[in-house]
Amino acid sequence: MARFLMITATSGTNHDLAVMFSNAAQAKGHEAEIVDLAELDLPMFTLARSKDPEKTPDISGLIQKMMDSDSWVIIAPEYNGSYPPTLNNAIAWMSRDWQNFRSMCTGKPVGLATHSGGGGAHVIMAMRQQFSFIGADVIGRSCLSGRNKDANPDTIDAMIDGLAR
């Protein structure tokens, strides 16, 4: 049994997609939890803010969930040909302790998914580049959905199976 963490960068349809992944994982006997980065409402990362303990958010709970999980599924819509600010901001805050961040990410199996109005190919490419750069093992298969294309349940199942090493 694997422990999955579904990380959604926005609420709404991407959160719904995270629920689909979570349900698929649980149906296969795995543990699954969803973290909605929009609900965390992190302040915007700036170098000045990151050096002020009173302005630095406590993200230890998020980091612990990420460390405790066996695999991540990152779900985000396409924003201007890339991923949304909530995801970039969370990565910036987590990477303040760069060595521990790299250790947490290195070798972590990661799946990528999107529900996007523009098709989502660009956000998948951007996330693949980012998560590969930080050392994660991003699987080749991804899930693209949008207002004219429902998420394929077979793709979701195959991704869960591939991530549950």
Side-chain angles (χ1 to χ4, degrees), residues 52-82:
D52 184 343
E54 291 184 22
K55 294 182 179 178
T56 301
D58 180 7
I59 56 169
S60 60
L62 172 61
I63 290 171
Q64 191 64 52
K65 288 177 184 186
M66 292 178 78
M67 289 188 331
D68 291 345
S69 64
D70 298 311
S71 299
W72 307 328
V73 179
I74 312 297
I75 303 129
E78 191 168 296
Y79 272 50
N80 301 314
S82 191

PDB file of all heavy atoms in Angstrom, residues 52-82:
ATOM      1  N   ASP A  52      12.420  37.428   7.678  1.00  0.00           N
ATOM      2  CA  ASP A  52      11.734  37.969   8.854  1.00  0.00           C
ATOM      3  C   ASP A  52      10.890  36.860   9.482  1.00  0.00           C
ATOM      4  O   ASP A  52       9.860  36.469   8.930  1.00  0.00           O
ATOM      5  CB  ASP A  52      10.842  39.137   8.432  1.00  0.00           C
ATOM      6  CG  ASP A  52      10.157  39.814   9.606  1.00  0.00           C
ATOM      7  OD1 ASP A  52      10.089  39.221  10.713  1.00  0.00           O
ATOM      8  OD2 ASP A  52       9.669  40.942   9.418  1.00  0.00           O
ATOM      9  N   PRO A  53      11.319  36.339  10.641  1.00  0.00           N
ATOM     10  CA  PRO A  53      10.592  35.229  11.264  1.00  0.00           C
ATOM     11  C   PRO A  53       9.108  35.513  11.522  1.00  0.00           C
ATOM     12  O   PRO A  53       8.286  34.597  11.526  1.00  0.00           O
ATOM     13  CB  PRO A  53      11.332  35.002  12.588  1.00  0.00           C
ATOM     14  CG  PRO A  53      12.662  35.637  12.418  1.00  0.00           C
ATOM     15  CD  PRO A  53      12.481  36.742  11.419  1.00  0.00           C
ATOM     16  N   GLU A  54       8.765  36.789  11.731  1.00  0.00           N
ATOM     17  CA  GLU A  54       7.366  37.126  11.985  1.00  0.00           C
ATOM     18  C   GLU A  54       6.527  37.090  10.709  1.00  0.00           C
ATOM     19  O   GLU A  54       5.300  37.036  10.775  1.00  0.00           O
ATOM     20  CB  GLU A  54       7.271  38.492  12.652  1.00  0.00           C
ATOM     21  CG  GLU A  54       7.818  38.480  14.068  1.00  0.00           C
ATOM     22  CD  GLU A  54       7.635  39.812  14.761  1.00  0.00           C
ATOM     23  OE1 GLU A  54       6.763  40.602  14.354  1.00  0.00           O
ATOM     24  OE2 GLU A  54       8.373  40.057  15.735  1.00  0.00           O
ATOM     25  N   LYS A  55       7.166  37.145   9.561  1.00  0.00           N
ATOM     26  CA  LYS A  55       6.447  37.146   8.288  1.00  0.00           C
ATOM     27  C   LYS A  55       6.574  35.820   7.538  1.00  0.00           C
ATOM     28  O   LYS A  55       6.002  35.662   6.467  1.00  0.00           O
ATOM     29  CB  LYS A  55       6.946  38.286   7.400  1.00  0.00           C
ATOM     30  CG  LYS A  55       6.625  39.652   7.962  1.00  0.00           C
ATOM     31  CD  LYS A  55       7.088  40.743   7.033  1.00  0.00           C
ATOM     32  CE  LYS A  55       6.727  42.111   7.599  1.00  0.00           C
ATOM     33  NZ  LYS A  55       7.194  43.199   6.740  1.00  0.00           N
ATOM     34  N   THR A  56       7.339  34.895   8.097  1.00  0.00           N
ATOM     35  CA  THR A  56       7.556  33.605   7.455  1.00  0.00           C
ATOM     36  C   THR A  56       6.440  32.644   7.870  1.00  0.00           C
ATOM     37  O   THR A  56       6.246  32.395   9.060  1.00  0.00           O
ATOM     38  CB  THR A  56       8.925  33.031   7.881  1.00  0.00           C
ATOM     39  OG1 THR A  56       9.939  33.962   7.509  1.00  0.00           O
ATOM     40  CG2 THR A  56       9.182  31.705   7.207  1.00  0.00           C
ATOM     41  N   PRO A  57       5.704  32.098   6.898  1.00  0.00           N
ATOM     42  CA  PRO A  57       4.614  31.182   7.263  1.00  0.00           C
ATOM     43  C   PRO A  57       5.154  29.840   7.755  1.00  0.00           C
ATOM     44  O   PRO A  57       6.243  29.408   7.355  1.00  0.00           O
ATOM     45  CB  PRO A  57       3.857  31.006   5.938  1.00  0.00           C
ATOM     46  CG  PRO A  57       4.894  31.205   4.886  1.00  0.00           C
ATOM     47  CD  PRO A  57       5.825  32.254   5.447  1.00  0.00           C
ATOM     48  N   ASP A  58       4.401  29.221   8.625  1.00  0.00           N
ATOM     49  CA  ASP A  58       4.761  27.887   9.109  1.00  0.00           C
ATOM     50  C   ASP A  58       4.230  26.866   8.103  1.00  0.00           C
ATOM     51  O   ASP A  58       3.030  26.616   8.037  1.00  0.00           O
ATOM     52  CB  ASP A  58       4.157  27.642  10.495  1.00  0.00           C
ATOM     53  CG  ASP A  58       4.504  26.271  11.035  1.00  0.00           C
ATOM     54  OD1 ASP A  58       5.321  25.548  10.404  1.00  0.00           O
ATOM     55  OD2 ASP A  58       3.946  25.896  12.085  1.00  0.00           O
ATOM     56  N   ILE A  59       5.119  26.317   7.311  1.00  0.00           N
ATOM     57  CA  ILE A  59       4.722  25.306   6.325  1.00  0.00           C
ATOM     58  C   ILE A  59       5.232  23.921   6.718  1.00  0.00           C
ATOM     59  O   ILE A  59       5.272  23.010   5.898  1.00  0.00           O
ATOM     60  CB  ILE A  59       5.210  25.685   4.910  1.00  0.00           C
ATOM     61  CG1 ILE A  59       6.716  25.898   4.893  1.00  0.00           C
ATOM     62  CG2 ILE A  59       4.464  26.903   4.380  1.00  0.00           C
ATOM     63  CD1 ILE A  59       7.293  26.014   3.499  1.00  0.00           C
ATOM     64  N   SER A  60       5.573  23.774   7.975  1.00  0.00           N
ATOM     65  CA  SER A  60       6.112  22.495   8.442  1.00  0.00           C
ATOM     66  C   SER A  60       5.103  21.359   8.255  1.00  0.00           C
ATOM     67  O   SER A  60       5.500  20.223   7.957  1.00  0.00           O
ATOM     68  CB  SER A  60       6.541  22.589   9.909  1.00  0.00           C
ATOM     69  OG  SER A  60       5.443  22.937  10.740  1.00  0.00           O
ATOM     70  N   GLY A  61       3.815  21.648   8.391  1.00  0.00           N
ATOM     71  CA  GLY A  61       2.806  20.607   8.186  1.00  0.00           C
ATOM     72  C   GLY A  61       2.778  20.125   6.750  1.00  0.00           C
ATOM     73  O   GLY A  61       2.695  18.906   6.490  1.00  0.00           O
ATOM     74  N   LEU A  62       2.865  21.044   5.807  1.00  0.00           N
ATOM     75  CA  LEU A  62       2.900  20.676   4.387  1.00  0.00           C
ATOM     76  C   LEU A  62       4.154  19.867   4.088  1.00  0.00           C
ATOM     77  O   LEU A  62       4.089  18.815   3.427  1.00  0.00           O
ATOM     78  CB  LEU A  62       2.861  21.936   3.513  1.00  0.00           C
ATOM     79  CG  LEU A  62       3.093  21.728   2.010  1.00  0.00           C
ATOM     80  CD1 LEU A  62       2.037  20.824   1.406  1.00  0.00           C
ATOM     81  CD2 LEU A  62       3.143  23.083   1.309  1.00  0.00           C
ATOM     82  N   ILE A  63       5.289  20.324   4.574  1.00  0.00           N
ATOM     83  CA  ILE A  63       6.542  19.617   4.333  1.00  0.00           C
ATOM     84  C   ILE A  63       6.489  18.220   4.932  1.00  0.00           C
ATOM     85  O   ILE A  63       6.917  17.247   4.299  1.00  0.00           O
ATOM     86  CB  ILE A  63       7.734  20.432   4.866  1.00  0.00           C
ATOM     87  CG1 ILE A  63       7.920  21.680   3.986  1.00  0.00           C
ATOM     88  CG2 ILE A  63       9.003  19.594   4.921  1.00  0.00           C
ATOM     89  CD1 ILE A  63       8.922  22.675   4.520  1.00  0.00           C
ATOM     90  N   GLN A  64       5.939  18.094   6.124  1.00  0.00           N
ATOM     91  CA  GLN A  64       5.847  16.775   6.756  1.00  0.00           C
ATOM     92  C   GLN A  64       4.958  15.839   5.930  1.00  0.00           C
ATOM     93  O   GLN A  64       5.299  14.667   5.727  1.00  0.00           O
ATOM     94  CB  GLN A  64       5.312  16.888   8.189  1.00  0.00           C
ATOM     95  CG  GLN A  64       5.442  15.601   8.971  1.00  0.00           C
ATOM     96  CD  GLN A  64       6.898  15.204   9.162  1.00  0.00           C
ATOM     97  OE1 GLN A  64       7.722  15.981   9.614  1.00  0.00           O
ATOM     98  NE2 GLN A  64       7.238  13.979   8.783  1.00  0.00           N
ATOM     99  N   LYS A  65       3.835  16.334   5.442  1.00  0.00           N
ATOM    100  CA  LYS A  65       2.959  15.513   4.597  1.00  0.00           C
ATOM    101  C   LYS A  65       3.674  15.081   3.323  1.00  0.00           C
ATOM    102  O   LYS A  65       3.532  13.940   2.878  1.00  0.00           O
ATOM    103  CB  LYS A  65       1.683  16.286   4.241  1.00  0.00           C
ATOM    104  CG  LYS A  65       0.733  16.452   5.393  1.00  0.00           C
ATOM    105  CD  LYS A  65      -0.474  17.290   5.005  1.00  0.00           C
ATOM    106  CE  LYS A  65      -1.343  17.510   6.231  1.00  0.00           C
ATOM    107  NZ  LYS A  65      -2.595  18.184   5.921  1.00  0.00           N
ATOM    108  N   MET A  66       4.451  15.980   2.757  1.00  0.00           N
ATOM    109  CA  MET A  66       5.182  15.645   1.537  1.00  0.00           C
ATOM    110  C   MET A  66       6.260  14.608   1.818  1.00  0.00           C
ATOM    111  O   MET A  66       6.462  13.680   1.026  1.00  0.00           O
ATOM    112  CB  MET A  66       5.771  16.911   0.913  1.00  0.00           C
ATOM    113  CG  MET A  66       4.689  17.840   0.376  1.00  0.00           C
ATOM    114  SD  MET A  66       5.323  19.369  -0.320  1.00  0.00           S
ATOM    115  CE  MET A  66       5.908  18.770  -1.905  1.00  0.00           C
ATOM    116  N   MET A  67       6.932  14.731   2.946  1.00  0.00           N
ATOM    117  CA  MET A  67       7.970  13.752   3.301  1.00  0.00           C
ATOM    118  C   MET A  67       7.365  12.389   3.626  1.00  0.00           C
ATOM    119  O   MET A  67       7.935  11.358   3.275  1.00  0.00           O
ATOM    120  CB  MET A  67       8.799  14.265   4.480  1.00  0.00           C
ATOM    121  CG  MET A  67       9.690  15.413   4.102  1.00  0.00           C
ATOM    122  SD  MET A  67      10.888  15.982   5.352  1.00  0.00           S
ATOM    123  CE  MET A  67      10.148  15.637   6.906  1.00  0.00           C
ATOM    124  N   ASP A  68       6.218  12.392   4.284  1.00  0.00           N
ATOM    125  CA  ASP A  68       5.593  11.136   4.701  1.00  0.00           C
ATOM    126  C   ASP A  68       4.938  10.364   3.563  1.00  0.00           C
ATOM    127  O   ASP A  68       4.690   9.175   3.685  1.00  0.00           O
ATOM    128  CB  ASP A  68       4.537  11.395   5.784  1.00  0.00           C
ATOM    129  CG  ASP A  68       5.145  11.829   7.107  1.00  0.00           C
ATOM    130  OD1 ASP A  68       6.377  11.668   7.291  1.00  0.00           O
ATOM    131  OD2 ASP A  68       4.388  12.340   7.956  1.00  0.00           O
ATOM    132  N   SER A  69       4.660  11.035   2.453  1.00  0.00           N
ATOM    133  CA  SER A  69       3.999  10.356   1.336  1.00  0.00           C
ATOM    134  C   SER A  69       5.024   9.629   0.478  1.00  0.00           C
ATOM    135  O   SER A  69       6.196   9.985   0.428  1.00  0.00           O
ATOM    136  CB  SER A  69       3.207  11.367   0.503  1.00  0.00           C
ATOM    137  OG  SER A  69       4.086  12.303  -0.075  1.00  0.00           O
ATOM    138  N   ASP A  70       4.544   8.584  -0.189  1.00  0.00           N
ATOM    139  CA  ASP A  70       5.397   7.815  -1.093  1.00  0.00           C
ATOM    140  C   ASP A  70       5.430   8.435  -2.484  1.00  0.00           C
ATOM    141  O   ASP A  70       6.422   8.298  -3.198  1.00  0.00           O
ATOM    142  CB  ASP A  70       4.887   6.369  -1.199  1.00  0.00           C
ATOM    143  CG  ASP A  70       4.937   5.655   0.132  1.00  0.00           C
ATOM    144  OD1 ASP A  70       5.993   5.709   0.799  1.00  0.00           O
ATOM    145  OD2 ASP A  70       3.926   5.049   0.519  1.00  0.00           O
ATOM    146  N   SER A  71       4.337   9.064  -2.875  1.00  0.00           N
ATOM    147  CA  SER A  71       4.210   9.655  -4.213  1.00  0.00           C
ATOM    148  C   SER A  71       3.344  10.899  -4.136  1.00  0.00           C
ATOM    149  O   SER A  71       2.470  10.999  -3.284  1.00  0.00           O
ATOM    150  CB  SER A  71       3.542   8.671  -5.174  1.00  0.00           C
ATOM    151  OG  SER A  71       4.299   7.503  -5.315  1.00  0.00           O
ATOM    152  N   TRP A  72       3.605  11.803  -5.083  1.00  0.00           N
ATOM    153  CA  TRP A  72       2.787  13.012  -5.201  1.00  0.00           C
ATOM    154  C   TRP A  72       2.113  13.042  -6.560  1.00  0.00           C
ATOM    155  O   TRP A  72       2.680  12.604  -7.558  1.00  0.00           O
ATOM    156  CB  TRP A  72       3.620  14.281  -5.105  1.00  0.00           C
ATOM    157  CG  TRP A  72       4.517  14.407  -3.922  1.00  0.00           C
ATOM    158  CD1 TRP A  72       4.318  13.911  -2.662  1.00  0.00           C
ATOM    159  CD2 TRP A  72       5.765  15.108  -3.880  1.00  0.00           C
ATOM    160  NE1 TRP A  72       5.364  14.268  -1.846  1.00  0.00           N
ATOM    161  CE2 TRP A  72       6.270  14.997  -2.573  1.00  0.00           C
ATOM    162  CE3 TRP A  72       6.485  15.823  -4.818  1.00  0.00           C
ATOM    163  CZ2 TRP A  72       7.465  15.565  -2.177  1.00  0.00           C
ATOM    164  CZ3 TRP A  72       7.695  16.391  -4.443  1.00  0.00           C
ATOM    165  CH2 TRP A  72       8.165  16.266  -3.133  1.00  0.00           C
ATOM    166  N   VAL A  73       0.907  13.590  -6.587  1.00  0.00           N
ATOM    167  CA  VAL A  73       0.263  13.960  -7.845  1.00  0.00           C
ATOM    168  C   VAL A  73       0.038  15.464  -7.756  1.00  0.00           C
ATOM    169  O   VAL A  73      -0.642  15.939  -6.842  1.00  0.00           O
ATOM    170  CB  VAL A  73      -1.070  13.215  -8.078  1.00  0.00           C
ATOM    171  CG1 VAL A  73      -1.704  13.677  -9.392  1.00  0.00           C
ATOM    172  CG2 VAL A  73      -0.869  11.700  -8.077  1.00  0.00           C
ATOM    173  N   ILE A  74       0.655  16.198  -8.673  1.00  0.00           N
ATOM    174  CA  ILE A  74       0.549  17.649  -8.693  1.00  0.00           C
ATOM    175  C   ILE A  74      -0.498  18.019  -9.730  1.00  0.00           C
ATOM    176  O   ILE A  74      -0.390  17.643 -10.897  1.00  0.00           O
ATOM    177  CB  ILE A  74       1.898  18.315  -9.057  1.00  0.00           C
ATOM    178  CG1 ILE A  74       3.059  17.725  -8.233  1.00  0.00           C
ATOM    179  CG2 ILE A  74       1.798  19.829  -8.920  1.00  0.00           C
ATOM    180  CD1 ILE A  74       2.969  17.938  -6.745  1.00  0.00           C
ATOM    181  N   ILE A  75      -1.521  18.752  -9.307  1.00  0.00           N
ATOM    182  CA  ILE A  75      -2.653  19.086 -10.170  1.00  0.00           C
ATOM    183  C   ILE A  75      -2.773  20.604 -10.226  1.00  0.00           C
ATOM    184  O   ILE A  75      -2.973  21.256  -9.203  1.00  0.00           O
ATOM    185  CB  ILE A  75      -3.953  18.458  -9.628  1.00  0.00           C
ATOM    186  CG1 ILE A  75      -3.776  16.933  -9.496  1.00  0.00           C
ATOM    187  CG2 ILE A  75      -5.131  18.772 -10.532  1.00  0.00           C
ATOM    188  CD1 ILE A  75      -4.139  16.391  -8.179  1.00  0.00           C
ATOM    189  N   ALA A  76      -2.639  21.151 -11.442  1.00  0.00           N
ATOM    190  CA  ALA A  76      -2.650  22.607 -11.583  1.00  0.00           C
ATOM    191  C   ALA A  76      -3.177  23.006 -12.956  1.00  0.00           C
ATOM    192  O   ALA A  76      -2.911  22.329 -13.941  1.00  0.00           O
ATOM    193  CB  ALA A  76      -1.245  23.169 -11.398  1.00  0.00           C
ATOM    194  N   PRO A  77      -3.886  24.115 -13.019  1.00  0.00           N
ATOM    195  CA  PRO A  77      -4.330  24.629 -14.321  1.00  0.00           C
ATOM    196  C   PRO A  77      -3.200  25.397 -15.004  1.00  0.00           C
ATOM    197  O   PRO A  77      -2.214  25.774 -14.372  1.00  0.00           O
ATOM    198  CB  PRO A  77      -5.470  25.575 -13.949  1.00  0.00           C
ATOM    199  CG  PRO A  77      -5.046  26.122 -12.618  1.00  0.00           C
ATOM    200  CD  PRO A  77      -4.362  24.965 -11.922  1.00  0.00           C
ATOM    201  N   GLU A  78      -3.380  25.600 -16.282  1.00  0.00           N
ATOM    202  CA  GLU A  78      -2.404  26.381 -17.037  1.00  0.00           C
ATOM    203  C   GLU A  78      -2.679  27.876 -16.839  1.00  0.00           C
ATOM    204  O   GLU A  78      -3.805  28.327 -16.996  1.00  0.00           O
ATOM    205  CB  GLU A  78      -2.504  26.015 -18.516  1.00  0.00           C
ATOM    206  CG  GLU A  78      -1.378  26.553 -19.342  1.00  0.00           C
ATOM    207  CD  GLU A  78      -1.370  25.934 -20.719  1.00  0.00           C
ATOM    208  OE1 GLU A  78      -1.168  24.711 -20.834  1.00  0.00           O
ATOM    209  OE2 GLU A  78      -1.596  26.687 -21.686  1.00  0.00           O
ATOM    210  N   TYR A  79      -1.648  28.609 -16.464  1.00  0.00           N
ATOM    211  CA  TYR A  79      -1.728  30.058 -16.302  1.00  0.00           C
ATOM    212  C   TYR A  79      -0.691  30.682 -17.218  1.00  0.00           C
ATOM    213  O   TYR A  79       0.511  30.557 -16.971  1.00  0.00           O
ATOM    214  CB  TYR A  79      -1.407  30.462 -14.852  1.00  0.00           C
ATOM    215  CG  TYR A  79      -2.577  30.488 -13.904  1.00  0.00           C
ATOM    216  CD1 TYR A  79      -3.448  29.413 -13.815  1.00  0.00           C
ATOM    217  CD2 TYR A  79      -2.793  31.576 -13.086  1.00  0.00           C
ATOM    218  CE1 TYR A  79      -4.502  29.431 -12.927  1.00  0.00           C
ATOM    219  CE2 TYR A  79      -3.848  31.599 -12.187  1.00  0.00           C
ATOM    220  CZ  TYR A  79      -4.695  30.526 -12.118  1.00  0.00           C
ATOM    221  OH  TYR A  79      -5.732  30.549 -11.238  1.00  0.00           O
ATOM    222  N   ASN A  80      -1.129  31.308 -18.269  1.00  0.00           N
ATOM    223  CA  ASN A  80      -0.228  32.017 -19.175  1.00  0.00           C
ATOM    224  C   ASN A  80       0.912  31.131 -19.665  1.00  0.00           C
ATOM    225  O   ASN A  80       2.072  31.541 -19.719  1.00  0.00           O
ATOM    226  CB  ASN A  80       0.322  33.283 -18.511  1.00  0.00           C
ATOM    227  CG  ASN A  80      -0.784  34.214 -18.101  1.00  0.00           C
ATOM    228  OD1 ASN A  80      -1.704  34.465 -18.861  1.00  0.00           O
ATOM    229  ND2 ASN A  80      -0.718  34.721 -16.874  1.00  0.00           N
ATOM    230  N   GLY A  81       0.590  29.898 -20.003  1.00  0.00           N
ATOM    231  CA  GLY A  81       1.584  28.984 -20.549  1.00  0.00           C
ATOM    232  C   GLY A  81       2.465  28.318 -19.519  1.00  0.00           C
ATOM    233  O   GLY A  81       3.449  27.661 -19.862  1.00  0.00           O
ATOM    234  N   SER A  82       2.137  28.435 -18.245  1.00  0.00           N
ATOM    235  CA  SER A  82       2.934  27.827 -17.188  1.00  0.00           C
ATOM    236  C   SER A  82       2.005  27.397 -16.059  1.00  0.00           C
ATOM    237  O   SER A  82       0.812  27.231 -16.263  1.00  0.00           O
ATOM    238  CB  SER A  82       3.989  28.824 -16.697  1.00  0.00           C
ATOM    239  OG  SER A  82       4.934  28.186 -15.867  1.00  0.00           O
TER     240      SER A  82
END
